[in-house]
Amino acid sequence: MVDQPVDMNLHHEQHRQYQQQFKRKTEAFRQQSQAIQQQMQDSSESHERAFTKEIAELKQLTKRHASK
């Protein structure tokens, strides 16, 4: 068995490509994560507004019934 010499240029190029691919995947994941966080925030705010409106309506109904 003869040892093959290691092609360092090839090794460095493969490593560089791996790092670039990893960086792209990491950035894509970060963007997806931010989008999900924004969706959750928007949904939470929307629900909060709906609950606030519903509470205000219930208070109005309660006042009407209490004044009768």
Side-chain angles (χ1 to χ4, degrees):
M1 181 170 186
V2 177
D3 287 338
Q4 296 290 327
V6 175
D7 183 346
M8 292 305 289
N9 288 333
L10 177 61
H11 173 74
H12 287 300
E13 179 61 24
Q14 288 172 340
H15 183 68
R16 186 184 66 77
Q17 288 175 0
Y18 170 79
Q19 285 179 321
Q20 287 176 343
Q21 182 182 21
F22 183 78
K23 187 176 180 179
R24 283 191 301 270
K25 287 182 178 180
T26 300
E27 183 58 30
F29 178 77
R30 183 177 295 116
Q31 289 175 359
Q32 289 174 345
S33 177
Q34 288 173 344
I36 290 169
Q37 285 179 329
Q38 186 61 50
Q39 289 172 352
M40 290 174 63
Q41 179 70 29
D42 293 346
S43 177
S44 176
E45 289 172 359
S46 175
H47 286 122
E48 186 175 337
R49 284 190 300 273
F51 289 140
T52 301
K53 182 179 177 183
E54 188 172 345
I55 289 169
E57 290 171 358
L58 289 171
K59 284 181 179 179
Q60 286 294 327
L61 288 172
T62 303
K63 285 181 185 178
R64 285 185 204 146
H65 288 307
S67 65
K68 287 184 178 181

